[in-house]
Amino acid sequence: MLTTIKLQEEINRLKKEKDVCILAHAYQTHDILEVADYIGDSFGLSQQAVSAPQKTILMCGVRFMAETAKILSPEKKVLLSHSMAGCPMAEQLTLNELRKLKKQYPDCAVVAYINTTAELKTLCDVCVTSASALKIVKNLPQKDILFIPDCNLGSWIEGKVQGKNFHFIKGGCPVHMQITKEDVENARKNHPDALVLVHPECIKEVTDMADYAGSTTGILAYVEKSDAKQFVIGTDNSIVAHLQFSYPDKEFYPLSKECVCKDMRLTTLVDVYNCIKGTGGEEIILPDDILINAKKSIDAMMSYE
Ligand code: 13P
Ligand code: SF4
């Protein structure tokens, strides 16, 4: 049986031998983060997919992240380390539903959270991530915004932008949406000195009550800069563990025990090993028309940087 350290050594050896760049979303487990060339949120992963010099990208995260990497770097081979790791929110709206909505709201800019399928991105004007959404929506020339599919992220932005009309349809992250106002009240009672930091995929009642709302990387950066000693974290609970590991002298608590993304948790170090060896994972292949048309909305997002 291979130990964690042996597996990591083998992965690091194969990475060099096969010219592979491993990108890992921050929700992945610690043993995977240790073999990654880059760790980040959705926006950071998109940027790294372009700048990585390697010919192959191995994405440890969920499908839409690997698809985004492929769209941005079609000449590279892009692998998803676990073929069943998807984001349920990415599939909440179908292509036909979006076609109908575009007819219903012809003057709206269609703003898509990056947590959407490649197919859906082909019909959108601009993609956003939780880290880039506010800046992009503020600067869009259109006054009317059709924001898909995350109503919670959309409402959070609506609360911070003036002079625009927002339309939301349905959808949201089933993991973050489980966090309730009562969870925040309990956290304040149990940890009165702690700051409450949440992801904007949480419902509006929760983001309104938090000390800070921001992307995965935003939450990590907030802790790094803060002098506070205790934090309650309202995002995937892997972040609680990573923060506790990085700052052993501070205290971190989950806002809800339920906030665990099963899809992000599917990938194991053995999956990464099998994928890099060529006996597991999935190569992302997208038809040319999807690659070309989906790229327009991601390029539009990048143009705001
Ligand atoms: P981030 O871009 O903040 O990593 O969010 C992506 C995601 O799926 C979080 O649930
Ligand atoms: Fe999708 Fe939510 Fe999981 Fe993020 S946490 S990948 S939005 S289901």
Side-chain angles (χ1 to χ4, degrees), residues 103-167:
K103 282 197 186 126
Q104 200 180 331
Y105 300 102
D107 298 327
C108 281
V110 182
V111 179
Y113 192 22
I114 200 154
N115 300 39
T116 39
T117 60
E119 209 181 30
L120 215 58
K121 286 184 176 80
T122 62
L123 292 185
C124 300
D125 295 308
V126 60
C127 279
V128 296
T129 68
S130 53
S132 64
L134 188 56
K135 178 172 162 187
I136 293 177
V137 173
K138 266 187 186 163
N139 288 299
L140 278 174
Q142 294 93 333
K143 207 164 171 292
D144 296 306
I145 312 286
L146 176 63
F147 194 97
I148 61 154
D150 190 346
C151 300
N152 300 304
L153 175 66
S155 311
W156 177 70
I157 294 164
E158 185 181 29
K160 295 182 174 294
V161 175
Q162 263 132 43
K164 301 220 184 251
N165 307 317
F166 286 78
H167 302 278

Side-chain angles (χ1 to χ4, degrees), residues 9 47 64 66 78 84-86 92 102 112 127 137 156 160 166 171 191 195 216 223 245 249 254 256 272 290-291:
E9 281 171 3
Q47 288 178 315
F64 79 82
V78 176
M84 285 167 73
Q92 283 169 341
K102 280 176 63 118
C127 279
V137 173
W156 177 70
K160 295 182 174 294
F166 286 78
H191 309 288
L195 294 176
T216 310
V223 172
F245 198 88
D249 297 335
S256 158
V272 181
I290 292 190
L291 279 175

Side-chain angles (χ1 to χ4, degrees), residues 27 62 64 86-89 113 115 173-176 201 261 263-264:
Y27 290 173
V62 292
F64 79 82
C87 167
M89 175 158 51
Y113 192 22
N115 300 39
C173 165
V175 179
H176 286 83
E201 286 173 11
C261 178
D263 283 86
M264 283 283 187

